Amino acid sequence: MRFLVVLTDLKGWKSITNNSLKDADATVNDLVGFMGSCESGLYISIRRYINKLDIPVISQAKTMVQTDDKFLITTTAVTLALRPFHATNFQLTGLDLLDMHSAAGQYCLFLLTIPMLTQRLPAVLVSALKHKSILSPCLQTLLILRDNILKEISQIDHLKIEQHSSKVIPAVGWALSNIICLFTGSENDFLDPGGLNQSLDYAFYVHVVIILAESLLSWLDNSGWPEKENQFPQVNAETSAEPVGKVSYENETIRTLKMSYVDLLSPVCQQWHLSKLLSISKTAAYVHTDDAQNPKYLRKLELLDIAYFYSYILRIFSILNPTHGPLPVLNMLSFTPGYLVTLWEALESLLFPRKGDICADHDFSTSKILGNKKVRGDKKQKQLNKGGGNKWTNILHKISGKSRAGVDYTDSVDGQPTSQVDEDLQDVWAVEPLTCGPQKISKDISCLLHLFCASYSHLLLVLDDIEFYEKQVPFMLEQQRRIASALNNLVYNGLAHSTVQQNKPLMDSAIRCLHLMYERDCRHQFCPPVLWLSPARKSRPPIAVAARTHEIVLSNTKLDDALTVPSVGSVITITPHVYPFEERVQMFREFINMDKVSRKMAGEVTGPGSRAVEIVIRRGHIVEDGFRQLNTLGSRLKSSIHVSFVSECGVPEAGLDYGGLSKEFLTDISKAAFSPEYGLFSQTLTSDRFLIPNPTARYLENGIQMIEFLGRVVGKALYEGILLDYSFSHVFVQKLLGRYSFLDELSTLDPELYRNLMYVKHYDGDIKDLSLDFTLTEESFGKHYVIELKPGGKNVCVTNENKMQYVHAMADYKLNRQILPYSNAFYRGLTDLISPSWLKLFNASEFNQLLSGGDFDIDVDDLRNNTRYTGGYSEGNRTIKLFWEVIKGFEPKERCMLVKFVTSCSRAPLLGFKHLQPSFTIHKVACDASLLATIGGQDVERLPSASTCYNTLKLPTYKRASTLRAKLLYAISSNTGFELS
C-alpha cells in the first residue's frame, strides 16, 4: 500500500527526467483513474478495512496515539481513497460525474455508507475527508445520479461486506449521518468545531440530505418500524388519563446503536445550524454545478428546502431516537427566533390568498371575542405584565418580531356554540385548498404543514395565556384564528375522506396541534363558534348515521389504539367539535340507546327472572349502604335499581319504586358524598367552587374505592339521563376525558399558586434570591409532607437556567400527578357504564353541562309545553294559568330555584324539558279555604311541596296570583321538599 501511494505521486519518482515527465504524468493519471474505477476493487477493500476498526469513546478520541502501525495503515488507506481526487492534472468533469464507476461514485457507494465512518477515523483524517475537493464532487454525484446511486446503496445491505448494523440502520442511513458529520463541525474537530463547513455549497448539502433522508424513511416505512416500535410518548392533549402504555424490551445492543446513530445527527438540532441555513436562503445567489447542460441543477437554497430537510429529520428522530424521540428537533425548531412566523407566512399565502379578509370583513376583533372585562390580577402581576423584559419573554418577542404591549388580556365570552350559525361566516372559515384533506394538497404544502404543526404544538405546551392573549406571541389573534381554521379543515376533511393513513405524520401533528388550540379556546375563547363548525356544515352525516359509523370504527379498532393514537378513530372521536353541542348530546343519547338495545338483545334487560337490582338504603347511611350493595356490580349497574328506603327511625318507608326512588337515591347519595364535609371531594379556590378529589381522601377508609364508586354513580346518572346539581373542576374532567393539563389550567384550580408561578416564570432578577428548590410541602391531618418534584429535588436549587423546569414541574404535580390516583379510580367507575369514546364528544365545560344541565335561564314556554298535570289539574285551570303568569314574572335565579325544588337540579335538561325523566308534573292538592275565609277574601294557607323523585310539584288551588307567588317563593327558598306542607 505504501508503494502504491508513492507510485501515484510524481514527486516520489526520482528517476523522472524532463523528457519522460509527460509520459510519467499520463501513466500516473491512468493508474489513478484505474484505482477510482470499480474494476480495481480499491474502495470496497478500503471499506472492509475501515469497517473493522474500533470506535473509540470520545474521551479516547482526543488522546489517541497517532504513530502506531494501525494509524499508518489507516492513513495510507485514506490517502489511496482520496488520491483520485488529488492526482496531478486529474479533474472530474461533468462527463465523469455521470459515470457511476467514477471515483466519486465509488466513494459515495462504499465509503460514505460505512457505519460511523467519522468516528472510526482519527480527527486529522476526518478533516481531510471534509475538504471541498472531496465533498463537493461527491455531493454533486449524489444529486445528479441519485436514482442509480440509491439503487446501488440499497444493494450494499445484502452484501457479505456488511455487519449486523445494517439490520438496524441501512446503508443509506449511514450515508446520511456521515455527510452531516462531514459537513458540520463537532467538538472533536480541531479545525472547524461546531459550525457548517464554510468552503462547501450549502444548497448541495441540504438537497443531498433531503434525498438520503427520504430514502431512509422509505426503508423504515417498508420495514414497518413506525408500527413495530413504540412511538415517543409526547406530553400532549391526547395523553390518556388511564396509563396504558406498552413497554418495549428491545435488544440492548440495538438500542445502543440507535442512540449512537441519532447522536451523529445532533448537529442539525443546534440552533446555529438552522439559523445559518435561513440566512443563506435569504440571499439571491444560485448554486452552480459542473453539469451546465442541466439547468435543473442550478438551485438556490430556499425556505421550502429547509422545511423538507427538517420535516424528514423530525420523522427520523421520532422513529429512531429511543429516549427522547423528536424532542431535540422540536426544541430547536420551536425556539429559533422567527422560524415559526416565517413558516406560517409561507403557508398563509398559499391557504388564504386574500389575506385579512376574514377578520377585517367580519369584525371578530380581540375585544369582541374576549369581552370588555379586563383581568384584575394583583398589583405585582400587572407590573410584571407591563415589564415583560425577562429572558423568556424576549425570546418570544424575537419569535414574533414585534411588540405586543398594547393589547388587553380579557376574559372569555360567556355563552355556548349554537347550531343556528350564519352560513356566510361558515363559508369564510372553510379553507378551500384543504376541502379534500391531505389527499389533494401538494407535497410542498404538506411538508410545510407537517413541520409547522409539529413545531407549533410543541411551543403551545409552554406558551402561557399572558403570552398568547396579551403579548400575542408568536402570532396575533387574527393569525391564530386562521391557523385554527386551517387545521380544523385539514383534519376534518382528512377524516371525512378517509385519507389519514396516506399522510400519517402530517395528520398526527395536525391533530395534536388542533386539539391544543381547541382546548385553549375552550378555556379562553379566541375563535368564533362558527369556525369550529365550518368544515362539516355541508357534509356531516345525520346524527344516527354518525353514531353508528363511529361504533363500527371502534369495533374494528383496538380500544387502546383508538384512545392513544391520534389518527386512529372517526370524525366524532377526533373532531367532535364540528358538530354543534346540542347534536353531540343527541349522539350521546343515541349511543346509550344503542347500548340498551344491544343489552336487550343479549338478554341482560329482559328474560327469565327479574334483572333489577334490589337494594335497601337507610336514610342516615345512604353513602355507606349504597357503596356496600352496589360497588361490586360494575357494568351490571346499568340495570334497573329498585330502592327501598328505611327511615332514620328504622321503619321501612311505604311505596314502590317505579323509577322515582332510584332517581332520589342517586341525587341524595351524590349530595352526601360530594359534600366537602364528607372528605372525598373538596372545592376549588376559585369563585365557582367546582368539585375536585380531596388529596387526603387516600387516608380515609376505602377512600380510593369510594371515589371509584362515585364514578359509577355519576355514570349511572348519565346513563339514565338524571341530572345532578354538581360541577367538577376543569382539571379533573380533563383527566376523565383522557387529556393532559397544562400550566394555564392551574388558574382554574389554585389562582394564587398560578400567580406565584407566573411571577417566577417572568422574574427578571436572579431567581436564586427567592431560595426555591424542587420541592413542595403538603399538609394532611396536621402533618407536613415534603414532596420532591424530581429525584433529589430538595438538593436542587431553582436558578434562572432551570426555572422553566421548576414552573412546569410544579404545575404538572398539581394538575396531573397529585390528582392521578383519584381520577384513575373515578375513571374506572365511570367507564363501567359510559364508554370512553362517548366521553370524548365533549370538552370539560360541556361534560359538566351534560351532567348537570344547561347553564342558562329556564325557558318557560318549553317547560309549559312539556308539563304534565295530575290530580284534577288541566292546562285551562285558573290556578295553572296563575302559576305560569307568576313563573314568567320570576327572576332567572328564582326560576332555577323552582326547577331545583321540583327536580333536585337547578338547571334545565340540555335538549329541553321533553327529555326530563320523569316529566315535569304539577299535581293538584285539594285544600280549599273554609266558607268563612272565602267570604272574608282569604286564600289557601298551605304551602306547595314537591316530590323530587317523580319531578312533581304539589300545588294547592290558589285563587290569587299574589298568594301563589308568595307561597311558592317561600317554599323554594326554604330548600325543603317532602316535609314542607
Side-chain angles (χ1 to χ4, degrees):
M1 290 175 64
R2 296 299 302 166
F3 172 71
L4 189 57
V5 170
V6 174
L7 192 63
T8 53
D9 185 0
L10 283 180
K11 296 179 181 179
W13 289 34
K14 298 181 180 179
S15 59
I16 298 178
T17 63
N18 292 334
N19 294 332
S20 60
L21 180 60
K22 185 176 181 180
D23 292 336
D25 185 60
T27 301
V28 168
N29 284 338
D30 289 342
L31 178 58
V32 171
F34 173 74
M35 289 169 54
S37 65
C38 63
E39 287 82 2
S40 67
L42 173 68
Y43 288 104
I44 196 170
S45 299
I46 295 175
R47 177 191 179 89
R48 288 194 181 100
Y49 171 74
I50 296 178
N51 215 11
K52 293 180 180 180
L53 294 177
D54 295 330
I55 305 175
V57 297
I58 294 178
S59 60
Q60 296 175 345
K62 296 182 178 180
T63 59
M64 189 170 62
V65 178
Q66 303 288 313
T67 57
D68 57 10
D69 292 340
K70 182 180 290 187
F71 172 74
L72 293 176
I73 296 172
T74 303
T75 303
T76 303
V78 172
T79 301
L80 290 175
L82 303 184
R83 183 66 85 201
F85 297 91
H86 295 296
T88 305
N89 297 330
F90 182 80
Q91 295 182 352
L92 292 171
T93 64
L95 183 61
D96 295 324
L97 287 173
L98 294 176
D99 183 6
M100 262 299 297
H101 304 298
S102 68
Q106 294 292 294
Y107 186 90
C108 293
L109 185 59
F110 291 112
L111 296 194
L112 288 184
T113 57
I114 296 176
M116 297 186 178
L117 170 64
T118 58
Q119 279 61 47
R120 298 177 188 273
L121 300 176
V124 64
L125 297 181
V126 173
S127 298
L129 298 181
K130 289 184 173 186
H131 195 271
K132 180 179 180 179
S133 62
I134 308 300
L135 268 187
S136 287
C138 292
L139 295 180
Q140 292 181 45
T141 303
L142 278 167
L143 281 174
I144 298 172
L145 300 175
R146 56 177 294 178
D147 294 335
N148 292 334
I149 289 184
L150 290 176
K151 181 179 179 181
E152 295 283 344
I153 288 178
S154 66
Q155 296 175 359
I156 289 182
D157 297 328
H158 305 291
L159 299 179
K160 294 181 179 180
I161 61 174
E162 199 55 47
Q163 295 181 341
H164 70 277
S165 60
S166 64
K167 299 178 181 178
V168 179
I169 308 296
V172 69
W174 292 116
L176 171 66
S177 64
N178 289 331
I179 286 177
I180 289 176
C181 290
L182 291 172
F183 204 90
T184 58
S186 66
E187 60 178 324
N188 298 323
D189 188 353
F190 58 87
L191 293 180
D192 187 22
L196 290 173
N197 194 327
Q198 301 293 328
S199 62
L200 295 174
D201 294 321
Y202 300 100
F204 282 171
Y205 162 66
V206 171
H207 297 146
V208 166
V209 169
I210 290 173
I211 291 171
L212 297 176
E214 189 174 22
S215 180
L216 173 60
L217 286 170
S218 177
W219 184 89
L220 293 171
D221 289 341
N222 292 334
S223 59
W225 272 49
E227 289 74 28
K228 291 179 182 179
E229 301 298 320
N230 283 330
Q231 293 296 297
F232 165 65
Q234 294 190 55
V235 177
N236 56 54
E238 292 306 301
T239 302
S240 176
E242 188 76 8
V244 291
K246 299 177 182 178
V247 180
S248 174
Y249 299 98
E250 64 181 355
N251 183 283
E252 187 61 30
T253 302
I254 294 177
R255 180 179 175 85
T256 303
L257 182 61
K258 288 163 62 177
M259 293 175 64
S260 301
Y261 180 77
V262 295
D263 284 343
L264 300 178
L265 306 182
S266 61
V268 303
C269 301
Q270 304 301 315
Q271 197 172 93
W272 59 260
H273 186 278
L274 175 58
S275 299
K276 183 66 176 178
L277 295 181
L278 289 174
S279 65
I280 295 171
S281 68
K282 296 177 182 178
T283 64
Y286 279 82
V287 178
H288 296 269
T289 70
D290 291 334
D291 186 15
Q293 305 300 321
N294 289 278
K296 67 178 180 179
Y297 297 112
L298 296 173
R299 293 292 303 273
K300 173 192 174 185
L301 184 60
E302 298 177 348
L303 177 67
L304 184 61
D305 300 318
I306 301 173
Y308 273 110
F309 182 103
Y310 276 105
S311 178
Y312 291 151
I313 292 296
L314 185 65
R315 291 175 57 191
I316 290 172
F317 269 75
S318 298
I319 300 172
L320 294 181
N321 193 353
T323 54
H324 300 294
L327 268 181
V329 188
L330 290 174
N331 284 333
M332 184 272 300
L333 292 173
S334 301
F335 299 108
T336 297
Y339 187 54
L340 271 174
V341 175
T342 303
L343 275 179
W344 176 247
E345 287 174 350
L347 280 168
E348 196 172 30
S349 63
L350 297 170
L351 301 177
F352 300 93
R354 294 183 298 170
K355 185 177 179 181
D357 284 358
I358 292 176
C359 296
D361 293 350
H362 297 279
D363 190 27
F364 197 71
S365 60
T366 304
S367 60
K368 186 172 181 179
I369 301 170
L370 300 175
N372 296 319
K373 279 189 176 181
K374 296 184 179 180
V375 166
R376 291 177 171 84
D378 61 12
K379 185 175 181 181
K380 288 184 179 179
Q381 186 65 30
K382 288 185 177 180
Q383 292 173 350
L384 168 66
N385 294 345
K386 286 184 178 180
N390 59 79
K391 181 179 179 181
W392 181 256
T393 305
N394 287 339
I395 291 176
L396 291 167
H397 276 248
K398 287 180 181 179
I399 293 176
S400 65
K402 298 177 182 179
S403 174
R404 313 298 188 199
V407 183
D408 289 329
Y409 178 60
T410 49
D411 289 325
S412 61
V413 169
D414 294 330
Q416 299 301 322
T418 174
S419 59
Q420 303 298 321
V421 294
D422 189 288
E423 293 191 359
D424 292 335
L425 280 177
Q426 284 192 322
D427 287 335
V428 167
W429 296 108
V431 184
E432 185 63 30
L434 302 176
T435 52
C436 294
Q439 183 178 15
K440 295 295 182 66
I441 62 176
S442 67
K443 186 179 179 181
D444 294 347
I445 295 180
S446 177
C447 171
L448 289 170
L449 278 170
H450 169 242
L451 196 61
F452 175 81
C453 292
S455 304
Y456 191 42
S457 61
H458 188 65
L459 179 62
L460 282 170
L461 301 182
V462 297
L463 203 64
D464 62 50
D465 282 351
I466 295 174
E467 293 152 342
F468 189 92
Y469 293 100
E470 179 183 351
K471 295 182 174 68
Q472 296 191 45
V473 290
F475 301 108
M476 300 293 289
L477 290 182
E478 291 84 355
Q479 293 174 301
Q480 299 283 12
R481 289 190 280 278
R482 286 194 285 271
I483 293 170
S485 177
L487 298 182
N488 198 40
N489 278 268
L490 173 67
V491 172
Y492 171 78
N493 289 312
L495 294 168
H497 291 88
S498 302
T499 57
V500 175
Q501 298 301 322
Q502 295 182 11
N503 199 330
K504 195 172 183 298
L506 167 60
M507 289 298 292
D508 284 350
S509 61
I511 290 169
R512 186 176 300 114
C513 194
L514 176 66
H515 284 162
L516 287 171
M517 298 197 75
Y518 178 68
E519 287 297 328
R520 195 176 289 260
D521 184 70
C522 291
R523 192 172 66 251
H524 289 296
Q525 187 182 12
F526 66 93
C527 293
V530 292
L531 184 153
W532 303 110
L533 302 174
S534 177
R537 178 174 65 88
K538 298 179 180 178
S539 59
R540 66 174 183 263
I543 293 171
V545 174
R548 283 165 172 76
T549 302
H550 171 70
E551 293 297 281
I552 292 173
V553 170
L554 285 185
S555 64
N556 294 329
T557 308
K558 292 183 179 179
L559 181 60
D560 290 350
D561 292 339
L563 296 181
T564 59
V565 181
S567 60
V568 176
S570 67
V571 169
I572 301 177
T573 303
I574 298 175
T575 57
H577 56 258
V578 299
Y579 287 83
F581 176 56
E582 293 80 1
E583 292 188 14
R584 281 180 278 136
V585 175
Q586 294 178 47
M587 285 184 202
F588 180 80
R589 303 312 309 175
E590 181 69 22
F591 288 142
I592 291 177
N593 291 336
M594 290 164 58
D595 184 72
K596 290 180 177 180
V597 169
S598 64
R599 290 178 57 240
K600 185 175 182 179
M601 294 176 63
E604 297 180 23
V605 178
T606 59
S610 174
R611 296 281 178 170
V613 178
E614 304 282 349
I615 60 175
V616 179
I617 301 296
R618 294 172 295 170
R619 287 288 185 184
H621 302 81
I622 188 169
V623 179
E624 295 79 5
D625 289 353
F627 173 74
R628 178 173 48 84
Q629 298 179 66
L630 297 178
N631 187 51
T632 59
L633 294 181
S635 61
R636 286 179 53 208
L637 199 56
K638 292 179 179 180
S639 301
S640 299
I641 301 177
H642 286 179
V643 183
S644 297
F645 281 108
V646 176
S647 70
E648 294 183 0
C649 300
V651 179
E653 295 181 2
L656 298 175
D657 185 2
Y658 294 102
L661 293 181
S662 59
K663 172 182 178 292
E664 181 187 354
F665 165 72
L666 289 174
T667 55
D668 286 354
I669 194 174
S670 62
K671 180 179 180 180
F674 287 128
S675 171
E677 289 75 18
Y678 200 84
L680 294 176
F681 279 76
S682 58
Q683 294 178 327
T684 60
L685 298 177
T686 55
S687 59
D688 41 40
R689 313 296 289 174
F690 286 149
L691 293 175
I692 193 165
N694 192 331
T696 63
R698 65 178 179 269
Y699 300 113
L700 300 177
E701 183 180 1
N702 298 322
I704 298 296
Q705 292 87 347
M706 290 286 285
I707 289 179
E708 181 175 338
F709 170 63
L710 290 181
R712 295 191 180 95
V713 170
V714 170
K716 177 65 173 178
L718 290 173
Y719 194 81
E720 302 296 343
I722 297 173
L723 299 180
L724 302 179
D725 200 16
Y726 302 97
S727 294
F728 294 107
S729 163
H730 184 278
V731 173
F732 179 59
V733 179
Q734 285 284 85
K735 300 295 162 295
L736 305 181
L737 301 180
R739 294 163 190 162
Y740 188 88
S741 296
F742 297 100
L743 174 62
D744 286 293
E745 293 172 51
L746 187 60
S747 62
T748 66
L749 185 65
D750 191 337
E752 182 178 358
L753 177 60
Y754 176 74
R755 286 193 296 269
N756 292 338
L757 290 181
M758 287 297 98
Y759 179 79
V760 171
K761 179 177 178 179
H762 296 279
Y763 190 72
D764 290 335
D766 189 349
I767 204 70
K768 289 183 179 179
D769 297 339
L770 302 181
S771 301
L772 299 172
D773 57 28
F774 278 76
T775 64
L776 61 88
T777 303
E778 288 186 345
E779 181 180 359
S780 177
F781 297 104
K783 294 183 179 181
H784 291 81
Y785 302 89
V786 176
I787 308 297
E788 290 189 327
L789 299 176
K790 61 189 298 186
K794 61 184 178 182
N795 299 319
V796 180
C797 296
V798 178
T799 65
N800 287 344
E801 287 72 29
N802 65 16
K803 69 177 182 180
M804 288 300 298
Q805 296 178 25
Y806 170 78
V807 168
H808 287 280
M810 180 70 80
D812 177 63
Y813 178 79
K814 284 292 187 180
L815 296 171
N816 301 294
R817 291 167 53 192
Q818 184 183 53
I819 200 177
L820 191 61
Y822 314 103
S823 60
N824 281 348
F826 195 94
Y827 177 85
R828 288 192 297 270
L830 178 64
T831 53
D832 274 345
L833 290 91
I834 304 297
S835 169
S837 64
W838 304 351
L839 296 176
K840 282 182 173 290
L841 291 174
F842 309 102
N843 60 42
S845 61
E846 291 170 345
F847 175 87
N848 277 329
Q849 292 182 60
L850 186 71
L851 177 64
S852 57
D855 200 18
F856 308 108
D857 187 14
I858 302 301
D859 186 340
V860 177
D861 292 334
D862 178 52
L863 177 60
R864 184 172 185 172
N865 293 334
N866 293 282
T867 295
R868 192 167 61 96
Y869 304 99
T870 61
Y873 274 145
S874 64
E875 192 170 0
N877 188 275
R878 172 177 171 79
T879 301
I880 296 300
K881 291 181 178 179
L882 291 176
F883 174 81
W884 293 118
E885 290 178 7
V886 168
I887 298 306
K888 283 193 174 183
F890 272 5
E891 296 292 330
K893 181 180 179 181
E894 294 170 337
R895 282 191 284 265
C896 291
M897 291 170 60
L898 169 67
V899 172
K900 182 173 183 178
F901 179 72
V902 179
T903 69
S904 75
C905 182
S906 61
R907 300 179 179 93
L910 288 177
L911 302 179
F913 280 94
K914 67 179 179 180
H915 294 277
L916 181 66
Q917 294 296 330
S919 298
F920 191 93
T921 302
I922 301 179
H923 180 76
K924 182 178 181 179
V925 177
C927 51
D928 293 335
S930 64
L931 179 60
L932 183 60
T934 303
I935 296 174
Q938 297 179 9
D939 208 335
V940 177
E941 289 295 330
R942 182 168 178 169
L943 290 170
S945 61
S947 177
T948 56
C949 58
Y950 295 106
N951 297 332
T952 298
L953 174 65
K954 298 177 180 179
L955 186 67
T957 54
Y958 301 111
K959 296 179 175 59
R960 294 182 179 87
S962 58
T963 304
L964 192 153
R965 175 183 173 85
K967 297 291 186 181
L968 195 57
L969 282 176
Y970 183 84
I972 65 177
S973 301
S974 300
N975 196 28
T976 55
F978 284 121
E979 295 80 10
L980 186 64
S981 60

